[in-house]
Amino acid sequence: MAYLTLDQAKDYLGDLYLSAYDDGGTPNDALLTEDIDSVTATVDAYVKKQYDFIIVGVQSLAMLKSYSERLLKSKAYERYDSSRVPEAVENMYLDTIMRLKDLASGKLLLPDSVQEPKANLFCSNMGVNTSGSSYRGTIFTRDKMRGA
């Protein structure tokens, strides 16, 4: 499911749409649709690591739409002239990828999700040792800490 429609993408990109997707004087909607699908696949790849259901929450969809717009803008600049991607757009792209990675790892949660994120397989369980059987010797000494 795309988080961004063709018309929304055109409105968001504005004049960049006309420049980046120009095909002999006329805008090429097929290229834009291809980029929307690519961006959607990228967002879904991160989201599906934590959530195994279709996202329907209004706030969650708005957040994922915003991420899709940011990624699409970067893609449009790369299509237009990859050597001159503005620094602000590059930073926005990196920030979006960082947020998607946080979403995939469970550090960031969707705002109105109804499912808990998938369980982390690598959990630690620490408790207090009251039996008195813990190791009380020196683990590290000055001699053992020297470099080779």
Side-chain angles (χ1 to χ4, degrees), residues 20-82:
Y21 297 96
D22 181 42
D23 187 22
T26 59
N28 188 340
D29 288 347
L31 288 176
L32 180 58
T33 302
E34 183 181 307
D35 284 353
I36 291 170
D37 292 342
S38 173
V39 164
T40 299
T42 301
V43 171
D44 279 344
Y46 287 102
V47 171
K48 296 301 178 190
K49 288 182 180 180
Q50 277 300 324
Y51 298 94
D52 59 0
F53 62 93
I54 297 173
I55 308 299
V56 294
V58 175
Q59 291 176 338
S60 296
L61 287 173
M63 185 173 88
L64 296 177
K65 176 186 173 194
S66 171
Y67 292 165
S68 296
E69 288 172 340
R70 292 170 160 200
L71 295 176
L72 183 65
K73 189 171 203 171
S74 177
K75 235 177 174 8
Y77 269 106
E78 287 175 8
R79 188 176 288 282
Y80 178 60
D81 184 5
S82 61

Side-chain angles (χ1 to χ4, degrees), residues 125-134 136:
N125 187 5
M126 297 178 64
V128 178
N129 183 4
T130 57
S131 67
S133 64
S134 63
R136 297 194 187 269

